[in-house]
Amino acid sequence: MKAWIRTFVKTFAIILYRVMCVVLPVNKRRIVFDSSLGRSYSGNPRRIFEYMVENGYVDKWECTWFYEKAPYPIPGKGCQFRYGRFRYLYYMATAKVWIFDCRQPEWLIKRKDCLYIQTWHGTPLKKLVLDMDDVFMMHEKDLSSYQDGFVKNVGIWDVLISQSPYASNTFRRAFAFEKDMLEIGYPRNDILFSKNNEDDIRRLKMRLGLPLDKKVMLYAPTFRDDEFDEKASYKFSPKISFERIREEFGEEYVLIVKYHYLIMDCIDWLPYKNFIYHFDQSDDIAELFLVSDIMITDYSSVMFDYSILRRPMFFCAYDLDKYKNELRGFYFDYERELPGPISTNTETLIRDIRTYDASRYKQRYEDFCRKYNPWDDGRAAAKVVEVVERALEGRTVQETITD
């Protein structure tokens, strides 16, 4: 599509949306969800929605999901519409409640009668927004414009969910968020309490197509701000030898690969058939946590959620100096606080897994969980739904939080 056509279509959509916000009434039963701007059916919005389905709320409320490419296999009576298209504009303009896990397009208007619950997508490890010293992300021109746009976007959030006092303090400072913090833990982690048992894990493995006679490693790295191609897509280019991992652990383990939602690379995993199982953005990582015996990550906030299970974690930080000193920087002492060994290449990672001693990290693990996920208790989704219910009863935003 030519640039001028794209510009015209976008301008028309913005005008149409703003007209809808003026002339159409708010539907007091309508709730809209998306995860990662429609790229996935996962995370906090998914768990909130599924709690509504499981407890019969969708019989009285109208729940709608937005998807980017193809509809998701959602349960219950929820509707699904393509992100950014006409019905997206209509449902956004008329919804009483928005539930999202990342910032939305800047041109969206949130109406006064609409409650915007921002669940976010992870406890902060890497420096965010106003705490950043530079920005390397694609589509961002410079740090100042990135920060200004982000803070403006945050201004329409009514509620922000937090996992810990540490997260609340960081979000308020880094996002300049001054409204209500819902300090309840993450709904996406409820399943780590309710399904963490042998029978449920076995059923999950069967549904995911994983072998029952082998243990499972999960590899879940984050993206690198400066690694994207000419098509403006973030790349998957870890400095790790999957061949060596298979040679060393293939008889005992299989390896799940789940990378960040911003990464769009299509990797050919066929050479690793029956060892590597790749799961995309339609798969919920909380389920992958449950079926995994150990996790390998780097600087991803998945570490905060996975630690709830108290299972071994390994940190393959092959570019630690660059990431810490040039790209993002950290909010805490990465080398001193992590509840597991840090490796810089494949061979040291293999050694760390082979020689892992849980007793060595026991106290550090307890300290880590006490600081970063003390509010997770398996009931976060229920607490969000209580807030939604009060909003749909017609109470003000402040009343929905303080009641």
Side-chain angles (χ1 to χ4, degrees), residues 313-316 338-343 352-353 356 360-361:
M313 286 194 286
F314 302 87
F315 300 88
C316 189
L338 291 184
I342 301 172
S343 55
D352 289 340
I353 295 173
Y356 181 76
R360 180 181 176 186
Y361 297 97

Side-chain angles (χ1 to χ4, degrees), residues 68 156 350-351:
E68 183 181 56
I156 66 171
I350 290 170
R351 181 202 64 200

Side-chain angles (χ1 to χ4, degrees), residues 66-99:
F66 300 126
Y67 62 87
E68 183 181 56
K69 295 181 179 178
Y72 298 112
I74 67 173
K77 301 178 180 179
C79 299
Q80 294 191 75
F81 301 117
R82 187 82 175 267
Y83 185 88
R85 302 301 173 85
F86 174 80
R87 284 183 291 190
Y88 164 81
L89 300 174
Y90 171 76
Y91 277 79
M92 285 292 292
T94 57
K96 175 65 177 178
V97 180
W98 292 356
I99 300 178

Side-chain angles (χ1 to χ4, degrees), residues 305-357:
D305 299 332
Y306 192 80
S307 69
I308 291 170
L309 297 172
R310 303 299 201 278
R311 298 177 189 174
M313 286 194 286
F314 302 87
F315 300 88
C316 189
Y318 54 84
D319 55 350
L320 177 57
D321 287 341
K322 178 182 178 182
Y323 202 94
K324 178 173 64 175
N325 298 318
E326 297 179 30
L327 289 183
R328 282 290 191 100
F330 302 121
Y331 282 119
F332 64 89
D333 192 325
Y334 186 86
E335 288 118 317
R336 291 176 62 88
E337 288 195 46
L338 291 184
I342 301 172
S343 55
T344 56
N345 55 52
T346 303
E347 295 307 318
T348 54
L349 173 63
I350 290 170
R351 181 202 64 200
D352 289 340
I353 295 173
R354 285 295 186 202
T355 62
Y356 181 76
D357 179 1

